[in-house]
Amino acid sequence: MEPVMRFSRRLAAVLLAAPLAVPMAMAHPAKAPSTVDRVTITRDEWGIAHVSGQTDADAVYGMIYAQAEDDFPRIERNYLVNLGRLSEAEGESAIWQDLRQRLFIDPDRLKADYAQSPLWLRKLMQAWADGLNAWLADHPKAKPLVLTHFEPWMALSFSEGSIGGDIERVPLSQLQAFYDHKQVAMTAAERGLIWQEPKGSNGIAIAPSRTKDGHALLLINPHTSFFFRSELQMTSREGLNAYGAVTWGQFFIYQGFNAHAGWMHTSSGIDNVDEFAETVVDSPTGAKGYRYGGQIRPLAKNTITLRYRRPDGTMASRSFTTWASHHGPIVREEGGKWIAFALMNRPVAALEQSYLRTKTRDLSEFLKVAERKANSSNNTLFADDKGEIAYLHPQFVPIRDTRFDYTKPVDGSDPATDWRGLHALDTLPSVLNPKNGWAFNTNNAPWTAAGADSPRKADYPVYMDELGENPRGPHAEKVLGERRDFTLPALISAAYDPWLPAFEHLLPPLFDAAASDPGNADRQAAIALLKGWDRRWSAGSTATTLAVNWGEALWAKRGDHPDPEDDSTSVWDWMERHASPAQRLAALDEAIARLKGDFGDWRVPWGDMNRYQRNDGAIDQVFSDAKPSTPIPFASARWGSLASFGAKRYPGTKRYYGTSGNSFVAAVEFGPRVTARAVSIGGESNVPASPHFSDQVSSYATGDLRPVHFWPDDLAAHTTSTRILLRR
């Protein structure tokens, strides 16, 4: 691994699109447009918003207004979740999720943080709130569930755009048990006993030495719940010109590129949240304290009041007395100890880092922004037009004493267990400009990020990764291989490579089991089909259907009868090494019976079963076999498919319907003029009547990514509408 380079102080400056000469529809006709307050929203033929303004704040105003046009309900829901106010819309069932959030997100603290933020950031937050409030004023028929007015400080509650925050590691059942003062059993999901679709993403960066035309390439392939992000471009005369995926309600491009550089975030396996077991004692005055070294420290006490909606629509409230040590809020009790939960909670620095990296021009500038150390959960793949590439580990990494096992609660009374500051960037397992010419991450450990040029696991503390490998890692290494003639189309082809490597390891033990117990004719025919299969998905493949249904049935057996002596490090490991021959064969028989019962024959083409369906704009979809749907050829990431489609049966359905996986996908080439191709699942709008509700489904299913209209001359030829907003 090459050493981390020193940061430069070059100012970021990017090309600005000239105003487009197209017909303009006035959104706010109170006064004529001026060069001071005019914001332009240009839509291309796919409904993608290209927003431009004089200042960054103008661009923020316009881009959040455009987001609200496309899907206000998701914006509102994201802020109900992040402000800890979801129960005001969804009722008392959400009260524990809200309480968990409010243990860390205090509106009064966020207001104080806003007041102390740098002026440039306050301007952006104010523009964000103004844009949302302007959209609400312009659309009086819109009916928000709760949030009828946005304040600028609210943006600090949602400052990092990944799939799920660190806070989700707090089990809600045990939070309820502690604060409701009763026994609540952990759910099977919290105990890790049931399968959940892998969350995460793929990112690949390829250096000029590996490309046909000598240009760096970047694959942006987030695996999220569907319709999780908007796709748009935002530009200003202050150096902003970024394109990509925006998590609904945020004002920065989360995964994307500008005229010079691109960045892709993947969920990390780093262990950077910790639990501290506090020894709680009553002081002579009756107040609660906890032991720390030779001291008794007072526990911080607070009252949190949450409002919730009753079934009849009226509002009620519940109040909770909450506790915290210097390690963090108390979230549960275990073995007579109160468990405090420590995580990154730096909203101003996080929002600064999330926004400023979109304006960086090269790797040194990107790393300078990363010195804020406010990215806790995401790896980053980076590429730029200088030919630089990188894999970057999350930058918020507490330094711990490796004598202690931080995968379990550590003794909070021992000062030696405390965090000792944060790791410097050059002590993290990152890879800068590897000699091999490529870097990747599939939510796996960094130890294979750049082949032979990867960081060595032995050189880093154990907490740098706790997930290890997954089947997509070897798949990415295979498609990268020794190839030295990558092009943009070739990178897209690699991203949709149909190999399912997990079955290379899982099927041979099944074949061995069947050799000893051939079973009935159906079992024998199924084994013959799987033996002849090339381990590649396709819409017409019956072997893919059988293998996936068998794999899921076997996967479930580990959770059905967990073995406390099981030393397997993952479900894949258990399936390959520990499942018994009887379990393997029983899972195959179950898959055959299920398919025959649902379809009349177990030989079902994969595309007949694996479907995409979107019937309305609801956040939680209801699926039906009786309604139209689209066949999807690729499979779940759990089997090693790089192109991921997380699907399953739902109540009343025999087919699988997808809800997560490939969502926004882009491939970028950093030549003299950056070019890119992209696709967004379904389309840009959540309104069924919109032409952009489902206009990208076919391209999504086939991997036929459409050209991105990044440059003004290209956009001018593909403009379908232009709107002028006057900021107010």
Side-chain angles (χ1 to χ4, degrees), residues 66-85:
Q67 283 188 58
E69 289 182 316
D70 292 333
D71 202 339
F72 178 80
R74 277 184 169 75
I75 295 175
E76 183 184 23
R77 192 179 196 282
N78 280 344
Y79 281 90
L80 291 177
V81 169
N82 285 281
L83 289 167
R85 298 180 61 181

PDB file of all heavy atoms in Angstrom, residues 66-85:
ATOM      1  N   ALA A  66     -37.005  20.553  -6.626  1.00  0.00           N
ATOM      2  CA  ALA A  66     -37.189  19.521  -7.649  1.00  0.00           C
ATOM      3  C   ALA A  66     -37.437  18.156  -7.015  1.00  0.00           C
ATOM      4  O   ALA A  66     -38.266  17.369  -7.494  1.00  0.00           O
ATOM      5  CB  ALA A  66     -35.967  19.472  -8.565  1.00  0.00           C
ATOM      6  N   GLN A  67     -36.714  17.851  -5.934  1.00  0.00           N
ATOM      7  CA  GLN A  67     -36.958  16.591  -5.233  1.00  0.00           C
ATOM      8  C   GLN A  67     -38.391  16.508  -4.733  1.00  0.00           C
ATOM      9  O   GLN A  67     -39.047  15.459  -4.837  1.00  0.00           O
ATOM     10  CB  GLN A  67     -36.005  16.454  -4.042  1.00  0.00           C
ATOM     11  CG  GLN A  67     -34.588  16.076  -4.374  1.00  0.00           C
ATOM     12  CD  GLN A  67     -33.810  15.784  -3.099  1.00  0.00           C
ATOM     13  OE1 GLN A  67     -34.174  14.928  -2.317  1.00  0.00           O
ATOM     14  NE2 GLN A  67     -32.733  16.530  -2.903  1.00  0.00           N
ATOM     15  N   ALA A  68     -38.885  17.607  -4.184  1.00  0.00           N
ATOM     16  CA  ALA A  68     -40.257  17.614  -3.671  1.00  0.00           C
ATOM     17  C   ALA A  68     -41.261  17.409  -4.800  1.00  0.00           C
ATOM     18  O   ALA A  68     -42.297  16.754  -4.611  1.00  0.00           O
ATOM     19  CB  ALA A  68     -40.532  18.922  -2.933  1.00  0.00           C
ATOM     20  N   GLU A  69     -40.959  17.949  -5.979  1.00  0.00           N
ATOM     21  CA  GLU A  69     -41.826  17.707  -7.129  1.00  0.00           C
ATOM     22  C   GLU A  69     -41.913  16.219  -7.443  1.00  0.00           C
ATOM     23  O   GLU A  69     -42.982  15.711  -7.814  1.00  0.00           O
ATOM     24  CB  GLU A  69     -41.296  18.452  -8.358  1.00  0.00           C
ATOM     25  CG  GLU A  69     -41.461  19.958  -8.311  1.00  0.00           C
ATOM     26  CD  GLU A  69     -40.949  20.618  -9.579  1.00  0.00           C
ATOM     27  OE1 GLU A  69     -39.861  20.236 -10.059  1.00  0.00           O
ATOM     28  OE2 GLU A  69     -41.631  21.524 -10.097  1.00  0.00           O
ATOM     29  N   ASP A  70     -40.805  15.519  -7.286  1.00  0.00           N
ATOM     30  CA  ASP A  70     -40.745  14.117  -7.681  1.00  0.00           C
ATOM     31  C   ASP A  70     -41.249  13.163  -6.605  1.00  0.00           C
ATOM     32  O   ASP A  70     -41.871  12.144  -6.925  1.00  0.00           O
ATOM     33  CB  ASP A  70     -39.304  13.747  -8.052  1.00  0.00           C
ATOM     34  CG  ASP A  70     -38.836  14.432  -9.330  1.00  0.00           C
ATOM     35  OD1 ASP A  70     -39.693  14.753 -10.167  1.00  0.00           O
ATOM     36  OD2 ASP A  70     -37.618  14.649  -9.462  1.00  0.00           O
ATOM     37  N   ASP A  71     -40.990  13.456  -5.325  1.00  0.00           N
ATOM     38  CA  ASP A  71     -41.378  12.501  -4.290  1.00  0.00           C
ATOM     39  C   ASP A  71     -41.320  13.147  -2.906  1.00  0.00           C
ATOM     40  O   ASP A  71     -40.475  12.790  -2.076  1.00  0.00           O
ATOM     41  CB  ASP A  71     -40.477  11.261  -4.330  1.00  0.00           C
ATOM     42  CG  ASP A  71     -41.129  10.047  -3.671  1.00  0.00           C
ATOM     43  OD1 ASP A  71     -42.054  10.245  -2.869  1.00  0.00           O
ATOM     44  OD2 ASP A  71     -40.711   8.915  -3.956  1.00  0.00           O
ATOM     45  N   PHE A  72     -42.240  14.067  -2.635  1.00  0.00           N
ATOM     46  CA  PHE A  72     -42.257  14.697  -1.315  1.00  0.00           C
ATOM     47  C   PHE A  72     -42.503  13.693  -0.195  1.00  0.00           C
ATOM     48  O   PHE A  72     -41.900  13.811   0.890  1.00  0.00           O
ATOM     49  CB  PHE A  72     -43.292  15.817  -1.243  1.00  0.00           C
ATOM     50  CG  PHE A  72     -43.371  16.453   0.116  1.00  0.00           C
ATOM     51  CD1 PHE A  72     -42.438  17.400   0.499  1.00  0.00           C
ATOM     52  CD2 PHE A  72     -44.349  16.066   1.030  1.00  0.00           C
ATOM     53  CE1 PHE A  72     -42.481  17.963   1.776  1.00  0.00           C
ATOM     54  CE2 PHE A  72     -44.399  16.621   2.302  1.00  0.00           C
ATOM     55  CZ  PHE A  72     -43.460  17.580   2.676  1.00  0.00           C
ATOM     56  N   PRO A  73     -43.389  12.690  -0.367  1.00  0.00           N
ATOM     57  CA  PRO A  73     -43.622  11.764   0.748  1.00  0.00           C
ATOM     58  C   PRO A  73     -42.353  11.106   1.283  1.00  0.00           C
ATOM     59  O   PRO A  73     -42.219  10.895   2.496  1.00  0.00           O
ATOM     60  CB  PRO A  73     -44.580  10.726   0.143  1.00  0.00           C
ATOM     61  CG  PRO A  73     -45.335  11.489  -0.891  1.00  0.00           C
ATOM     62  CD  PRO A  73     -44.314  12.418  -1.487  1.00  0.00           C
ATOM     63  N   ARG A  74     -41.396  10.774   0.404  1.00  0.00           N
ATOM     64  CA  ARG A  74     -40.164  10.164   0.901  1.00  0.00           C
ATOM     65  C   ARG A  74     -39.279  11.185   1.612  1.00  0.00           C
ATOM     66  O   ARG A  74     -38.560  10.831   2.547  1.00  0.00           O
ATOM     67  CB  ARG A  74     -39.411   9.483  -0.248  1.00  0.00           C
ATOM     68  CG  ARG A  74     -39.944   8.087  -0.523  1.00  0.00           C
ATOM     69  CD  ARG A  74     -39.149   7.361  -1.595  1.00  0.00           C
ATOM     70  NE  ARG A  74     -39.528   5.952  -1.629  1.00  0.00           N
ATOM     71  CZ  ARG A  74     -40.658   5.489  -2.151  1.00  0.00           C
ATOM     72  NH1 ARG A  74     -41.517   6.324  -2.700  1.00  0.00           N
ATOM     73  NH2 ARG A  74     -40.942   4.200  -2.122  1.00  0.00           N
ATOM     74  N   ILE A  75     -39.304  12.417   1.169  1.00  0.00           N
ATOM     75  CA  ILE A  75     -38.574  13.456   1.894  1.00  0.00           C
ATOM     76  C   ILE A  75     -39.120  13.574   3.308  1.00  0.00           C
ATOM     77  O   ILE A  75     -38.373  13.550   4.290  1.00  0.00           O
ATOM     78  CB  ILE A  75     -38.681  14.809   1.171  1.00  0.00           C
ATOM     79  CG1 ILE A  75     -37.989  14.762  -0.187  1.00  0.00           C
ATOM     80  CG2 ILE A  75     -38.104  15.928   2.035  1.00  0.00           C
ATOM     81  CD1 ILE A  75     -38.161  16.022  -1.008  1.00  0.00           C
ATOM     82  N   GLU A  76     -40.440  13.683   3.405  1.00  0.00           N
ATOM     83  CA  GLU A  76     -41.035  13.842   4.733  1.00  0.00           C
ATOM     84  C   GLU A  76     -40.742  12.638   5.613  1.00  0.00           C
ATOM     85  O   GLU A  76     -40.379  12.784   6.787  1.00  0.00           O
ATOM     86  CB  GLU A  76     -42.541  14.046   4.623  1.00  0.00           C
ATOM     87  CG  GLU A  76     -43.170  14.291   5.991  1.00  0.00           C
ATOM     88  CD  GLU A  76     -44.676  14.412   5.968  1.00  0.00           C
ATOM     89  OE1 GLU A  76     -45.314  13.904   5.021  1.00  0.00           O
ATOM     90  OE2 GLU A  76     -45.231  15.012   6.904  1.00  0.00           O
ATOM     91  N   ARG A  77     -40.883  11.436   5.068  1.00  0.00           N
ATOM     92  CA  ARG A  77     -40.664  10.257   5.903  1.00  0.00           C
ATOM     93  C   ARG A  77     -39.224  10.188   6.405  1.00  0.00           C
ATOM     94  O   ARG A  77     -38.985   9.838   7.570  1.00  0.00           O
ATOM     95  CB  ARG A  77     -41.001   8.972   5.147  1.00  0.00           C
ATOM     96  CG  ARG A  77     -41.064   7.769   6.085  1.00  0.00           C
ATOM     97  CD  ARG A  77     -41.422   6.484   5.373  1.00  0.00           C
ATOM     98  NE  ARG A  77     -41.827   5.464   6.328  1.00  0.00           N
ATOM     99  CZ  ARG A  77     -40.993   4.744   7.082  1.00  0.00           C
ATOM    100  NH1 ARG A  77     -39.689   4.948   6.968  1.00  0.00           N
ATOM    101  NH2 ARG A  77     -41.448   3.843   7.928  1.00  0.00           N
ATOM    102  N   ASN A  78     -38.263  10.528   5.554  1.00  0.00           N
ATOM    103  CA  ASN A  78     -36.875  10.499   6.001  1.00  0.00           C
ATOM    104  C   ASN A  78     -36.648  11.436   7.178  1.00  0.00           C
ATOM    105  O   ASN A  78     -35.886  11.114   8.102  1.00  0.00           O
ATOM    106  CB  ASN A  78     -35.936  10.852   4.850  1.00  0.00           C
ATOM    107  CG  ASN A  78     -35.680   9.677   3.929  1.00  0.00           C
ATOM    108  OD1 ASN A  78     -35.940   8.531   4.268  1.00  0.00           O
ATOM    109  ND2 ASN A  78     -35.172   9.960   2.743  1.00  0.00           N
ATOM    110  N   TYR A  79     -37.302  12.578   7.174  1.00  0.00           N
ATOM    111  CA  TYR A  79     -37.109  13.510   8.290  1.00  0.00           C
ATOM    112  C   TYR A  79     -37.952  13.145   9.499  1.00  0.00           C
ATOM    113  O   TYR A  79     -37.545  13.415  10.645  1.00  0.00           O
ATOM    114  CB  TYR A  79     -37.314  14.955   7.826  1.00  0.00           C
ATOM    115  CG  TYR A  79     -36.072  15.411   7.104  1.00  0.00           C
ATOM    116  CD1 TYR A  79     -35.940  15.241   5.731  1.00  0.00           C
ATOM    117  CD2 TYR A  79     -34.980  15.891   7.815  1.00  0.00           C
ATOM    118  CE1 TYR A  79     -34.763  15.572   5.081  1.00  0.00           C
ATOM    119  CE2 TYR A  79     -33.798  16.231   7.173  1.00  0.00           C
ATOM    120  CZ  TYR A  79     -33.698  16.065   5.813  1.00  0.00           C
ATOM    121  OH  TYR A  79     -32.519  16.374   5.180  1.00  0.00           O
ATOM    122  N   LEU A  80     -39.082  12.503   9.303  1.00  0.00           N
ATOM    123  CA  LEU A  80     -39.804  11.978  10.456  1.00  0.00           C
ATOM    124  C   LEU A  80     -38.956  10.930  11.171  1.00  0.00           C
ATOM    125  O   LEU A  80     -38.908  10.892  12.402  1.00  0.00           O
ATOM    126  CB  LEU A  80     -41.137  11.371  10.012  1.00  0.00           C
ATOM    127  CG  LEU A  80     -42.197  12.350   9.508  1.00  0.00           C
ATOM    128  CD1 LEU A  80     -43.437  11.603   9.044  1.00  0.00           C
ATOM    129  CD2 LEU A  80     -42.565  13.372  10.582  1.00  0.00           C
ATOM    130  N   VAL A  81     -38.281  10.081  10.398  1.00  0.00           N
ATOM    131  CA  VAL A  81     -37.409   9.071  10.988  1.00  0.00           C
ATOM    132  C   VAL A  81     -36.233   9.726  11.695  1.00  0.00           C
ATOM    133  O   VAL A  81     -35.924   9.420  12.855  1.00  0.00           O
ATOM    134  CB  VAL A  81     -36.911   8.092   9.910  1.00  0.00           C
ATOM    135  CG1 VAL A  81     -35.786   7.212  10.456  1.00  0.00           C
ATOM    136  CG2 VAL A  81     -38.055   7.227   9.401  1.00  0.00           C
ATOM    137  N   ASN A  82     -35.573  10.646  11.035  1.00  0.00           N
ATOM    138  CA  ASN A  82     -34.336  11.202  11.575  1.00  0.00           C
ATOM    139  C   ASN A  82     -34.554  12.231  12.666  1.00  0.00           C
ATOM    140  O   ASN A  82     -33.653  12.450  13.487  1.00  0.00           O
ATOM    141  CB  ASN A  82     -33.494  11.775  10.433  1.00  0.00           C
ATOM    142  CG  ASN A  82     -32.829  10.682   9.623  1.00  0.00           C
ATOM    143  OD1 ASN A  82     -31.821  10.127  10.025  1.00  0.00           O
ATOM    144  ND2 ASN A  82     -33.419  10.332   8.490  1.00  0.00           N
ATOM    145  N   LEU A  83     -35.720  12.842  12.703  1.00  0.00           N
ATOM    146  CA  LEU A  83     -36.051  13.751  13.796  1.00  0.00           C
ATOM    147  C   LEU A  83     -36.684  13.022  14.974  1.00  0.00           C
ATOM    148  O   LEU A  83     -36.952  13.634  16.007  1.00  0.00           O
ATOM    149  CB  LEU A  83     -37.003  14.844  13.302  1.00  0.00           C
ATOM    150  CG  LEU A  83     -36.411  15.890  12.357  1.00  0.00           C
ATOM    151  CD1 LEU A  83     -37.516  16.700  11.697  1.00  0.00           C
ATOM    152  CD2 LEU A  83     -35.443  16.809  13.111  1.00  0.00           C
ATOM    153  N   GLY A  84     -36.931  11.720  14.827  1.00  0.00           N
ATOM    154  CA  GLY A  84     -37.585  10.967  15.890  1.00  0.00           C
ATOM    155  C   GLY A  84     -39.040  11.348  16.042  1.00  0.00           C
ATOM    156  O   GLY A  84     -39.568  11.445  17.159  1.00  0.00           O
ATOM    157  N   ARG A  85     -39.750  11.507  14.914  1.00  0.00           N
ATOM    158  CA  ARG A  85     -41.155  11.919  14.951  1.00  0.00           C
ATOM    159  C   ARG A  85     -42.033  10.998  14.097  1.00  0.00           C
ATOM    160  O   ARG A  85     -43.142  11.370  13.733  1.00  0.00           O
ATOM    161  CB  ARG A  85     -41.275  13.372  14.469  1.00  0.00           C
ATOM    162  CG  ARG A  85     -40.543  14.365  15.344  1.00  0.00           C
ATOM    163  CD  ARG A  85     -40.680  15.797  14.827  1.00  0.00           C
ATOM    164  NE  ARG A  85     -42.057  16.230  14.798  1.00  0.00           N
ATOM    165  CZ  ARG A  85     -42.452  17.440  14.362  1.00  0.00           C
ATOM    166  NH1 ARG A  85     -41.542  18.308  13.930  1.00  0.00           N
ATOM    167  NH2 ARG A  85     -43.724  17.767  14.360  1.00  0.00           N
TER     168      ARG A  85
END
